Amino acid sequence: MGAFDCDVLVVGGGPTGLTLALQVAQAGASVIVCDKEADVFPLPRAAHIDHETLRIFQSIGVAEDIAATCRTTERYDFLNAAGKVLLSFPGADRIAPGGWPAANMIHQPSIERLLRRRMEEQNGAELRTRWTYLGHDEMADGVTAQFATDRGEAQLRAKYLVGADGARSPVRSAAGFGLADLGFDEPWLVIDVVVHDQDRLPKSNLQICNPARPTTCVLMGEGRHRWEFMLLPGETAEEISSEASVARLLEPWNVSGAVTIERTAVYRFNARMTKEWRKGRVLIAGDAAHQMPPFAGQGMCSGIRDAANLGWKLGEVVAERASDQLLDSYQAEREPHVRATIASAIMMGRLVCTTSRWSALVRDLKFALGRALGKIPGGPATFAAMSSRAILSGSPMAGHYFPQPVAADGALFDDDVPAGAWLVGRDLPPLPGSLAAVDIADRTIEPFADAIAAWLASYDIEAALIRPDRYIFGSGSPTDLIAAWERSLRGDAGIRSESVGNQPTWDAALPDRPISMAG
């Protein structure tokens, strides 16, 4: 066959596809993103990203610009029909382990424009718009994809094809990935508004668990706000979307004159996941691989995490620094986290979507008792540690998230150290080219050295190897870690530490506050 047009071909130019492309390009591979649209979709969709998502955006050089478009709020409250708190997640505006605020309300078109602008600056990355995917053929050494363009049909040849093309993913369909229904399907009316008088709107994110009309009210970025109203049995999308219906739904909020409606749309909130995320040289990510109700605010976050996990692995594989088998760890690591996220979102959705007054009364009594006994969750669901051939199973902290240190002046650790994988410790030996040394004796990281030393000491760790997605490969002696890392990239099975030590729980790995020099 002929030469490749790129190493990695991504179908879909939304946040997941663009983030994946930038991750791949920063790893030294060439990437082309093809999107059927000429420009970003101009209206809001996702409303929230978390601290880990912003850290991923930081790694590709867009976090500060994105953060400037975000808004934060202190609380996310679930209220019953009487306004009593059923469930509350406080501290959403505090700095979290990723080094950014825990919750950030967004304007998705602004994020996509910033990602597209970054694509223009990134060597080895190209975005082609008005390229509509038609199908693909897979060979032993690559994939050839066909497209309809404004100049006729065209094809591109790449070593790997990734479908990041949304919930209706044509790539997923063409590749034959099976899609499983996880048991949630509810129609909701979404109303997005531009805000003129912020003082007249709620300052917290709210879920109103009222059986007469389950309702969501949340902040968004760029001077916007969103309401969502669940359709009741017998209601149609046309009826509830009418001007009179929208005015009636917003009337209790007393925002006439304070907002201008930007759009209304009826969506079905679903929970689905594909059975496979990879078939040979074809992979899927984001909504193409999984969809979830919006109640946990993790839809876009999950896609961006996919991109961070898969991006560095594709970069290593196409550069022939790693075996193709490394890509098998992608679904093995991401699927358990996504399943936990979907389960949390479904739990919240069922809490909100109760339309039986009797069931709502029973629910309210259960939550009142739970609050009295101190058994109501105080935060979002946490994840189990990852385990795969890309993790040194058995070593302390392996598979957990490495928190980003924050200096007293607000400086972020990741900005002062190289991209890629790190070996973190003291008096480190010479490292292979695929690893960067983060030696706490190095004066260049002096503002963070005490915090990192304290983190290592708290888990009795001599050194830790941190992957490019900032999850911990493993811990132990530097020499042993280097050898284990190189074995894992080669695809050797059975990578495991012989020294297990005391493995902390995920809660211990994710403290309420990040590593900080600010006290």
Side-chain angles (χ1 to χ4, degrees), residues 396-397 402 424-426 440 448-464 475-476 502 504 508 515:
M397 299 305 295
F402 181 70
V424 179
R426 186 187 298 275
I440 55 179
F448 312 100
D450 289 346
I452 296 175
W455 183 85
L456 292 169
S458 68
Y459 299 113
D460 194 22
I461 291 172
E462 180 181 355
S475 61
N502 295 320
I515 296 176

Side-chain angles (χ1 to χ4, degrees), residues 311-377:
W312 73 268
K313 294 173 182 176
L314 282 168
E316 293 293 316
V317 170
V318 300
E320 299 183 349
R321 293 188 295 265
S323 161
D324 174 86
Q325 296 175 44
L326 179 64
L327 300 179
D328 290 335
S329 67
Y330 165 54
Q331 181 176 357
E333 293 177 352
R334 289 293 303 133
E335 182 179 347
H337 285 194
V338 172
R339 283 192 178 276
T341 302
I342 292 176
S344 178
I346 289 175
M347 179 277 291
M348 294 179 185
R350 288 177 176 159
L351 173 65
V352 174
C353 294
T354 299
T355 56
S356 163
R357 294 183 183 276
W358 171 249
S359 296
L361 176 61
V362 172
R363 174 202 63 198
D364 293 356
L365 291 173
K366 286 182 177 179
F367 271 84
L369 178 61
R371 293 183 70 83
L373 297 175
K375 293 186 176 181
I376 296 296

Side-chain angles (χ1 to χ4, degrees), residues 109-127:
S110 298
I111 290 178
E112 293 190 29
R113 291 188 186 101
L114 289 166
L115 288 169
R116 286 193 176 205
R117 188 174 73 188
R118 185 71 186 90
M119 283 283 292
E120 295 173 357
E121 303 166 348
Q122 177 63 53
N123 292 332
E126 179 184 355
L127 171 64

Side-chain angles (χ1 to χ4, degrees), residues 263-338:
R263 70 128 179 204
T264 62
V266 172
Y267 288 94
R268 300 199 75 89
F269 295 163
N270 295 305
R272 297 180 180 136
M273 182 181 291
T274 55
K275 298 174 183 177
E276 299 171 280
W277 298 22
R278 179 194 183 194
K279 284 188 175 181
R281 292 181 175 271
V282 181
L283 304 100
I284 53 176
D287 285 352
H290 43 76
Q291 298 124 51
M292 64 192 69
F295 304 103
Q298 285 292 313
M300 180 188 288
C301 299
S302 295
I304 300 301
R305 285 182 172 90
D306 291 349
N309 185 292
L310 180 58
W312 73 268
K313 294 173 182 176
L314 282 168
E316 293 293 316
V317 170
V318 300
E320 299 183 349
R321 293 188 295 265
S323 161
D324 174 86
Q325 296 175 44
L326 179 64
L327 300 179
D328 290 335
S329 67
Y330 165 54
Q331 181 176 357
E333 293 177 352
R334 289 293 303 133
E335 182 179 347
H337 285 194
V338 172

Side-chain angles (χ1 to χ4, degrees), residues 54-67:
L54 265 175
R55 188 183 188 184
I56 294 167
F57 287 147
Q58 180 187 351
S59 73
I60 56 176
V62 294
E64 288 190 7
D65 288 339
I66 287 175

